[in-house]
């Protein structure tokens, strides 16, 4: 098997099983791992329609194991995996289609192209079973699709990281896989290079329409790449849907943490105003805590929930603001300031400690220093309510 672990690289299998029409990839399975360091149960149930689906989660969540099970490199303990009408795995029927017959493309972050081969030879590596003319047409088509035709004669050792990623993708897709698995293959690339490669992959898939499952732990990639997102944590699927549904409006604290909500507070509902579509919640803290107006959700006065607020959604003023549509204005003092690359993280003490993100220019313009009096401005719909 090649470094991309494409399940279609065996000439005999690729010749025997023709490409299938685009279909839904469905999976529901368990896999249990036991070691001295860790006892881990992967228990998942999800669907991957044609197009981009992001598998999102922290390191150790089980993302790579999910891909390995789909590709047939790891065998689940129980459950089933299907692609349209084809059953890839079914423990009840003792069906376990060999990896090479599943017609899965699998691209990893570590590409390991054959350095002594040319780009053309690398891309055509899995097509030895085809007649020369057919092989040449397929290779040329993929070289053009991923904008690397000018590298045809160049050795793989002499091309850049972005070019290597394009070659690896072309080598996987030239075999016409029925679904594609991508395990953070673009993580090492800069944002512009990554965006161009993804757009070329999208363009290729407009014609082929196969399910693509793309693993990442980057929230930015979820919104940039995904049509759907599956959130995985501790071996379980916590949420799935559109990126906006799942990450912009999370219903669980774990999802909120993964999605980048720096401020998560326990809260109690103090008042409900259905006619306004809002309610008032109290965050416990010094001197009675903080009152926040939030969107209306189910639950009456006295209900306990959690409120998530992104640090970048909070405005900071050095004089009491007036004439605002935002309903929450909270006085406090700068407790600490920490520069993180081009972002400044301010910890503001205001009966509770709230994190606020600012630009370097904003910090300097406002002359922010520890101890300075400030006011936080938080819109009602920047307060995301979650189960407790």
């Amino acid at each position: 098997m090649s470094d991309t672990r494409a399940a279609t690289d065996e000439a005999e299998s690729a010749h025997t099983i023709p490409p299938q029409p685009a279909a839904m990839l469905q999976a529901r399975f368990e896999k249990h791992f036991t070691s001295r360091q860790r006892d881990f149960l992967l228990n998942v149930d999800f669907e991957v329609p044609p197009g981009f689906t992001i598998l999102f989660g922290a390191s150790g969540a089980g993302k790579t194991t999910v891909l390995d099970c789909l590709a047939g490199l790891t065998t689940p303990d129980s459950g089933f995996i299907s692609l349209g009408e084809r059953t890839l795995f079914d423990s009840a029927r003792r069906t376990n289609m060999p990896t090479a017959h599943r017609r899965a493309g699998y691209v990893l972050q570590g590409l390991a192209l054959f350095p002594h081969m040319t780009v053309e030879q690398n891309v055509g590596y899995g097509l030895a079973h085809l007649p020369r003319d057919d092989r040449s047409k397929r290779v040329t088509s993929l070289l053009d699709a991923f904008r690397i035709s000018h590298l045809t004669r160049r050795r793989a050792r002499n091309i850049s990281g972005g070019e290597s990623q394009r070659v690896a993708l072309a080598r996987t897709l030239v075999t016409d896989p029925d679904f594609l698995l991508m395990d953070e293959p673009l993580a090492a690339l800069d944002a512009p290079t990554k965006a161009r490669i993804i757009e070329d992959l999208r363009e290729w898939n407009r014609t082929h329409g196969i399910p693509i499952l793309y693993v990442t732990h980057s929230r930015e990639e979820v919104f940039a790449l995904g049509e759907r997102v599956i959130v995985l944590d501790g071996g379980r699927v916590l949420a799935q849907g559109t990126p906006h549904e799942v990450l912009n409006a999370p219903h669980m604290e774990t999802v909120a943490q993964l999605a980048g909500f720096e401020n998560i507070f326990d809260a109690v509902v103090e008042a409900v105003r259905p006619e306004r579509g809002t309610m008032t919640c109290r965050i416990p803290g010094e001197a009675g805590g903080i009152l926040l107006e939030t969107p209306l959700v189910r639950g009456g006065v006295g209900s306990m929930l959690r409120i998530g607020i992104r640090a970048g959604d909070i405005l900071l003023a050095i004089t009491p603001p007036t004439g605002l549509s935002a309903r929450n204005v909270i006085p406090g003092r700068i407790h600490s300031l920490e520069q993180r690359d081009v972002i400044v993280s301010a910890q503001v003490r205001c009966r509770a400690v709230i994190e606020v993100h600012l630009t370097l220019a904003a910090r300097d313009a406002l002359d922010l220093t520890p101890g300075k009096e400030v006011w936080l401005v938080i819109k009602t719909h920047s307060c995301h309510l979650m189960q407790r």
Side-chain angles (χ1 to χ4, degrees):
M1 184 167 293
S2 74
D3 56 280
T4 57
R5 296 159 82 177
T8 52
D9 62 350
E10 293 190 12
E12 181 179 350
S13 302
H15 181 73
T16 303
I17 304 174
Q20 302 297 307
M24 178 86 73
L25 180 63
Q26 296 179 296
R28 186 177 71 237
F29 58 82
E30 287 189 0
K31 181 65 178 179
H32 188 214
F33 296 92
T34 302
S35 68
R36 291 182 179 179
Q37 295 79 22
R38 192 182 188 197
D39 190 68
F40 184 77
L41 176 63
L42 180 68
N43 185 348
V44 296
D45 185 351
F46 62 87
E47 296 179 342
V48 183
F52 266 92
T53 296
I54 303 296
L55 185 58
F56 176 67
S59 298
K63 303 185 298 296
T64 297
T65 303
V66 167
L67 299 195
D68 286 350
C69 288
L70 295 175
L73 301 173
T74 296
T75 302
D77 298 329
S78 62
F80 78 90
I81 302 169
S82 65
L83 182 68
E85 300 299 317
R86 281 202 298 149
T87 299
L88 308 184
F89 174 80
D90 188 335
S91 59
R93 298 183 179 181
R94 297 185 178 181
T95 298
N96 189 13
M97 184 178 289
T99 297
H101 291 188
R102 295 194 182 197
R103 295 193 52 83
Y106 197 160
V107 186
L108 299 176
Q109 185 174 348
L111 304 176
L113 297 175
F114 299 114
H116 62 289
M117 290 185 178
T118 65
V119 165
E120 182 179 36
Q121 290 168 337
N122 267 281
V123 173
Y125 182 77
L127 302 179
H129 63 288
L130 293 180
R132 176 177 294 181
D133 287 348
D134 292 346
R135 184 168 65 247
S136 178
K137 287 178 182 177
R138 281 211 202 179
V139 170
T140 299
S141 175
L142 267 296
L143 291 174
D144 289 341
F146 286 91
R147 311 184 199 195
I148 49 176
S149 55
H150 62 291
L151 302 174
T152 300
R153 304 299 179 191
R154 194 172 302 178
R155 304 252 178 225
R157 66 167 67 95
N158 298 324
I159 61 178
S160 69
E163 291 166 344
S164 296
Q165 296 286 357
R166 290 177 179 273
V167 173
L169 264 175
R171 182 174 60 181
T172 302
L173 297 177
V174 78
T175 55
D176 282 337
D178 291 335
F179 61 101
L180 179 63
L181 309 172
M182 302 180 72
D183 195 355
E184 303 194 72
L186 309 180
L189 301 181
D190 60 76
T193 301
K194 185 185 305 183
R196 288 192 292 268
I197 293 175
I198 287 298
E199 186 50 43
D200 288 342
L201 180 56
R202 283 190 192 280
E203 184 61 33
W204 178 88
N205 206 37
R206 287 188 184 102
T207 301
H208 295 78
I210 65 172
I212 299 174
L213 188 58
Y214 185 103
V215 163
T216 185
H217 61 266
S218 164
R219 177 177 171 271
E220 288 71 25
E221 283 194 344
V222 172
F223 284 95
L225 310 181
E227 298 154 20
R228 286 178 49 80
V229 59
I230 300 167
V231 179
L232 193 68
D233 184 65
R236 297 182 301 120
V237 173
L238 296 186
Q240 50 188 315
T242 67
H244 174 78
E245 291 169 343
V246 173
L247 298 189
N248 268 354
H251 297 292
M252 299 179 68
E253 180 178 357
T254 303
V255 178
Q257 290 170 338
L258 290 170
F261 282 79
E262 294 83 2
N263 301 292
I264 300 176
F265 304 103
D266 290 332
V268 179
V269 177
E270 293 247 325
V272 177
R273 300 181 181 85
E275 72 282 0
R276 298 183 183 179
T278 64
M279 59 191 193
T280 301
C281 297
R282 183 181 296 278
I283 297 173
E286 302 167 0
I290 301 171
L291 288 177
L292 283 178
E293 182 179 280
T294 72
L296 181 66
V297 297
R298 289 185 181 179
V301 173
S303 298
M304 303 177 71
L305 41 75
R306 282 192 170 94
I307 299 176
I309 307 170
R310 284 200 176 96
D313 287 345
I314 303 172
L315 299 179
L316 188 149
I318 56 174
T319 58
T322 60
L324 300 174
S325 62
R327 303 297 296 168
N328 300 300
V329 178
I330 305 166
R333 290 187 181 275
I334 299 288
H335 178 67
S336 65
L337 293 165
E338 179 187 353
Q339 183 174 335
R340 302 173 184 170
D341 194 16
V342 296
I343 295 294
V344 175
S345 172
Q347 301 290 326
V348 179
R349 185 173 293 282
C350 43
R351 299 183 180 177
V353 177
I354 298 179
E355 182 174 352
V356 182
H357 286 175
L358 307 154
T359 64
L360 300 178
R363 176 199 60 187
D364 296 342
L366 298 177
D367 192 24
L368 298 179
T369 56
K372 185 160 189 168
E373 187 175 20
V374 294
W375 284 261
L376 304 184
V377 180
I378 305 173
K379 294 190 297 184
T380 298
H381 288 280
S382 291
C383 300
H384 299 272
L385 305 179
M386 298 167 283
Q387 301 168 1
R388 181 170 171 178

